[in-house]
Amino acid sequence: MGRYGEELAARRLTEAGMTVLERNWRCGRTGEIDIVARDGDVLVVCEVKTRRAGAFQHPMEAVTAVKAERLRDLAGRWLRDHGGAPPGGVRIDLVGVVLPARGAPRVEHVRGVA
C-alpha cells in the first residue's frame, strides 16, 4: 500500500512540474525521505502518507511535531551528502493519499508543512 501511495505521489509531483531526484533515500538508522524533488530552484523533501478510506486518521494528520523535526534533520543530512542547499532553499511537503474501497485514489499535496 505504501509503495503504491508513493508512486501516486511521485506522479502528482511530476504533473505539478517538479523533478523527482530520489525516492526512499535512507540515512542509516536515522530514517528515510520518501521523495526528494526539485521545484524550480527549491529542493523539496516530501513525506508521503497513505491510508485506506475510513481509517482512524487522515494521512495529513500523521505529521506530528516530532515527525516534522525528523524530516528537517533528514533534509539537512541529505544536503550535506549532496553538496548543500540550492539557491531557492529547502521546503518540506506532504502528500496524503486516501485509497477508497471503490473508485479512484484521492491525492492531496500540501506545500511547506514543516
Side-chain angles (χ1 to χ4, degrees):
M1 183 171 75
R3 291 267 184 228
Y4 178 61
E6 288 177 11
E7 183 61 38
L8 292 173
R11 190 177 315 154
R12 170 62 57 95
L13 297 176
T14 301
E15 288 169 356
M18 296 184 199
T19 302
V20 173
L21 303 175
E22 199 158 356
R23 290 176 61 176
N24 303 111
W25 181 79
R26 293 194 180 277
C27 181
R29 296 176 187 223
T30 304
E32 174 185 272
I33 298 174
D34 294 327
I35 298 174
V36 179
R38 186 172 286 273
D39 185 9
D41 65 350
V42 176
L43 184 78
V44 178
V45 171
C46 189
E47 177 72 7
V48 180
K49 293 295 183 187
T50 306
R51 301 284 187 270
R52 295 197 183 280
F56 176 73
Q57 185 182 53
H58 189 277
M60 297 298 190
E61 296 174 29
V63 178
T64 63
V66 171
K67 179 74 169 182
E69 181 61 33
R70 188 176 67 74
L71 288 170
R72 284 190 291 272
D73 179 60
L74 285 167
R77 290 170 185 261
W78 194 92
L79 291 170
R80 282 191 295 277
D81 286 359
H82 293 86
V90 180
R91 185 179 76 221
I92 297 176
D93 289 4
L94 173 63
V95 175
V97 179
V98 177
L99 304 173
R102 302 178 90 168
R106 291 189 313 271
V107 181
E108 299 175 48
H109 175 206
V110 180
R111 298 168 187 252
V113 298

